[in-house]
Amino acid sequence: MTVMPPTGSLIPADAPFSAQQESWLAGFIAGIAAAGRRDSAGADAPAATVDVLIGTQTGNAELVADDIVAGARARGLGGRATALDDVTPEALAGMSHVIVVTSTYGEGEMPDNAGLFWEALQSDTAPRLEGVRYSVLGLGDRGYDDFCQAAKLIDTRLEQLGATRLHERVDCDVDFEEPAGQWTAAVLDLVAAETGAKGTGAAEAPKKPRSQWNKRTPYPSRLTTNRLLSAPHSAKEIRHYEFDLGDSGITYEAGDALAVVPVNDAALVAALLEHLGASGDRESAELLRTEREIRTPSKELIAALVERAPASELASVVAHGDRSDLDSWLWGRDVLDLLRDAGPTAPGLAELLPFLRPLQARQYSISSSPLAHPGSVHLTVASVRYDRYEGVASTYLADRVGESPVGVYLQPNASFSVPADDDAPMVMIGPGTGIAPFRGFLHERAARGASGRNWLFFGDQHRETDYVYEDELTELQKRGVLTELDLAFSRDQAEKIYVQTRMRERSRELYAWLEEGAHLYVCGDASRMAKDVETALLGVIAEQRGRGDDDAAEYLADLRRAKRYVRDVY
């Protein structure tokens, strides 16, 4: 939704700020004024204000930030939360107490709403921060080599610029709630003690209402539709799923994600227990089926197996020290494969369990609109199958749900949503299952009667087998909802054609849409597609503006600041 500064704002109408920046500044000014009024009325003003700066890809950091702000106010402190990209280093230098909560995505990269902040913070012109007291909380997954790398980088850079660390950084694994809560209490207690803040200590409710359904208590939904979208002879298996929201009270917006709590394949569980000599152990079978990750080996298990079996094939690959070689070798292999490779030195069941990570929910971009599909939520999922290896959640949905309920909960994504302005043009780039949120976007705009033009870039391997939702897209074109549709089926001709190829072919029109205020969205693979699309986009801008690469990069940065270039990548 469009954020506007409060009526009567002191910020000039032509000030060079985005709507979000104007809103933040207006709120900051209003807060100072309100504090002055409280002082004159004899009430206690906050002893200090805690600025919570958020870097998020999936929304978890926002939830933690809400709890920090509520905790600060309960202690008699002021608190406000702001996305990292909405804060300049100069504004940061004017803050007294800063808490950074950030996730990491990709190969140790900043989340999408923190990249501009990090770029500015690294600059030689970044100001000194001697007056800033700070602490950093990282959210991540220890299964990745670059665990919480974004938090580590920001923590180090703030120290280099002279800021004073309030509390040591804590890097949280996937089950972040408890350590994040303990860290929050410790940091806020330090701030309250050093500023003399005196609050009631009573916890305030976070500003956003929380659903009763979460990863600890998922909603038991009924899977009502499981339909194959790709052709039976396609190299891929892409399916359309529909879940009944029933009496859950779950509300969502187009662009949000749905988390699915999977259950491991009983056949794999049985094979693993048989190998471990524990067949018939019902308690362990249920634990492995519902609570432990047995498809993807953990880093801790890999290290333990290498130590136990230094002559194994795994140990030989690890010894080369090439991460890409290890990833290639691990592809298609699960925990049972590695135990077999280790031979008699492999751990038994009791020794193995601590090396198995908790079984995590899988998040999928929602491919429906609540306006067009009330009471249900749709997903578009590619089933992962590789010889004997199968994806945990994708094949659970495809093969094993049956009549049993599926545990689900909502993962909001406020930064990835249909423009609030129904007249604004919209460009969507989503090959493969990246089309998922854009199906929801198009249905949303159709239901709202939005007049804004819509342009979709979609592609996959073969038109005959992989053109998912073709009938729907054709109908949306006929109705005038889908204004432009560019298709790129990479293997239907000798020279491979991708969505970025189509972008370059239509560079003049694409740039014209951006100049006319279009919002540009990208969804799909982060490692290759999203990077290639951004490279193509920069090339389009540079070609059409004729002012060089630096100008194109700044133009794209301006789109990011205005929240007109956003990505949902994985």
Side-chain angles (χ1 to χ4, degrees):
M1 107 183 136
T2 302
V3 182
M4 297 298 293
T7 303
S9 171
L10 298 177
I11 301 171
D14 59 351
F17 301 120
S18 68
Q20 288 80 3
Q21 289 170 327
E22 288 187 12
S23 178
W24 188 91
L25 287 168
F28 179 74
I29 294 170
I32 294 174
R37 289 193 295 272
R38 286 193 296 271
D39 284 345
S40 62
D44 290 335
T49 294
V50 176
D51 281 285
V52 187
L53 310 185
I54 310 166
T56 186
Q57 200 73 26
T58 63
N60 286 332
E62 289 180 301
L63 298 177
V64 175
D66 284 349
D67 290 338
I68 294 173
V69 170
R73 291 173 178 168
R75 290 166 172 77
L77 298 161
R80 58 187 167 222
T82 313
L84 279 164
D85 272 358
D86 290 337
V87 178
T88 65
E90 290 72 25
L92 177 63
M95 299 173 182
S96 62
H97 294 80
V98 173
I99 294 177
V100 176
V101 183
T102 185
S103 62
T104 300
Y105 104 95
E107 299 174 1
E109 299 170 38
M110 295 288 160
D112 271 9
N113 73 334
L116 295 176
F117 171 85
W118 175 239
E119 182 179 327
L121 200 67
Q122 292 182 91
S123 170
D124 293 339
T125 61
R128 299 292 300 172
L129 303 175
E130 272 78 6
V132 178
R133 298 178 64 74
Y134 78 98
S135 194
V136 177
L137 180 73
L139 303 182
D141 183 338
R142 290 190 187 277
Y144 291 93
D145 285 344
D146 298 304
F147 173 60
C148 287
Q149 183 66 14
K152 295 172 183 175
L153 291 172
I154 291 175
D155 185 31
T156 299
R157 183 58 176 160
L158 292 176
E159 182 181 42
Q160 290 172 345
L161 291 174
T164 302
R165 189 179 288 108
L166 271 165
H167 189 285
E168 290 300 313
R169 186 190 72 253
V170 166
D171 298 328
C172 300
D173 204 352
V174 288
D175 290 327
F176 62 87
E177 290 86 353
E178 184 175 343
Q182 294 172 350
W183 178 88
T184 294
V187 173
L188 292 178
D189 286 346
L190 284 173
V191 177
E194 74 174 33
T195 60
K198 296 179 181 179
T200 63
E204 294 186 7
K207 62 180 180 180
K208 297 178 183 177
R210 301 282 175 86
S211 171
Q212 63 178 310
W213 310 112
N214 51 55
K215 67 181 180 181
R216 298 188 186 281
T217 56
Y219 174 68
S221 177
R222 184 168 59 91
L223 181 62
T224 61
T225 299
N226 174 356
R227 183 174 80 247
L228 183 64
L229 292 174
S230 51
H233 53 291
S234 170
K236 299 183 177 183
E237 179 188 319
I238 300 178
R239 291 182 172 272
H240 173 87
Y241 299 101
E242 298 182 11
F243 298 84
D244 182 8
L245 295 179
D247 60 354
S248 66
I250 293 175
T251 59
Y252 71 94
E253 295 183 7
D256 286 343
L258 188 74
V260 175
V261 180
V263 172
N264 282 314
D265 184 1
L268 177 60
V269 170
L272 180 58
L273 287 175
E274 181 180 2
H275 178 80
L276 294 168
S279 296
D281 185 339
R282 294 185 179 181
E283 183 177 347
S284 295
E286 184 63 14
L287 175 70
L288 293 176
R289 195 177 73 90
T290 61
E291 296 185 29
R292 290 291 186 270
E293 179 63 68
I294 59 174
R295 282 290 182 192
T296 305
S298 68
K299 291 196 304 182
E300 292 79 10
L301 176 59
I302 291 171
L305 292 177
V306 168
E307 182 178 354
R308 287 167 172 262
S312 66
E313 187 176 351
L314 171 62
S316 176
V317 175
V318 170
H320 290 159
D322 189 318
R323 179 67 208 190
S324 61
D325 285 349
L326 177 59
D327 289 342
S328 297
W329 189 87
L330 288 172
W331 174 249
R333 288 180 166 88
D334 54 33
V335 169
L336 179 54
D337 292 322
L338 266 62
L339 294 180
R340 287 170 172 162
D341 177 61
T345 64
L349 177 60
E351 294 176 290
L352 175 66
L353 288 177
F355 293 121
L356 301 180
R357 294 177 56 74
L359 183 60
Q360 294 298 313
R362 269 57 171 180
Q363 296 180 19
Y364 299 103
S365 299
I366 291 174
S367 57
S368 56
S369 159
L371 299 181
H373 309 97
S376 72
V377 61
H378 302 178
L379 299 181
T380 308
V381 180
S383 302
V384 177
R385 303 184 193 273
Y386 182 81
D387 294 336
R388 192 177 59 79
Y389 183 89
E390 296 181 341
V392 178
S394 63
T395 58
Y396 164 63
L397 292 175
D399 305 336
R400 302 194 301 275
V401 170
E403 297 298 319
S404 302
V406 180
V408 300
Y409 58 92
L410 187 68
Q411 192 73 48
N413 188 352
S415 64
F416 198 85
S417 57
V418 175
D421 181 0
D422 283 344
D423 295 330
M426 189 168 66
V427 178
M428 300 158 285
I429 304 167
T433 55
I435 195 176
F438 304 137
R439 176 181 184 263
F441 280 21
L442 290 167
H443 283 296
E444 175 87 4
R445 289 206 117 178
R448 280 162 50 167
S451 60
R453 296 171 297 155
N454 304 302
W455 187 351
L456 174 65
F457 289 87
F458 169 75
D460 211 312
Q461 292 185 357
H462 300 285
R463 180 172 185 140
E464 181 184 358
T465 58
D466 305 314
Y467 191 178
V468 301
Y469 298 121
E470 179 179 6
D471 292 344
E472 286 190 26
L473 295 177
T474 300
E475 178 62 25
L476 288 166
Q477 277 188 294
K478 290 179 180 178
R479 292 168 56 188
V481 176
L482 183 53
T483 316
E484 299 282 349
L485 175 61
D486 276 86
L487 301 172
F489 294 100
S490 61
R491 301 184 186 181
D492 279 350
Q493 59 286 308
E495 182 180 357
K496 290 185 178 180
I497 294 175
Y498 301 103
V499 287
Q500 57 267 29
T501 312
R502 300 302 188 204
M503 291 168 60
R504 294 187 183 99
E505 289 173 351
R506 302 200 61 187
S507 61
R508 188 192 322 182
E509 298 97 322
L510 180 54
Y511 178 70
W513 277 52
L514 294 177
E515 284 291 277
E516 292 162 13
H519 291 238
L520 193 149
Y521 304 86
V522 179
C523 181
D525 172 59
S527 62
R528 287 178 295 181
M529 184 279 296
K531 292 179 180 179
D532 291 341
V533 164
E534 183 157 310
T535 298
L537 184 58
L538 287 167
V540 166
I541 296 168
E543 175 190 329
Q544 295 302 313
R545 288 174 65 82
R547 302 178 188 174
D549 293 343
D550 289 345
D551 172 79
E554 186 56 34
Y555 185 96
L556 192 60
D558 286 341
L559 292 182
R560 286 188 190 274
R561 293 185 188 100
K563 306 300 186 283
R564 286 177 47 211
Y565 172 45
V566 293
R567 309 189 305 171
D568 178 11
V569 295
Y570 40 84

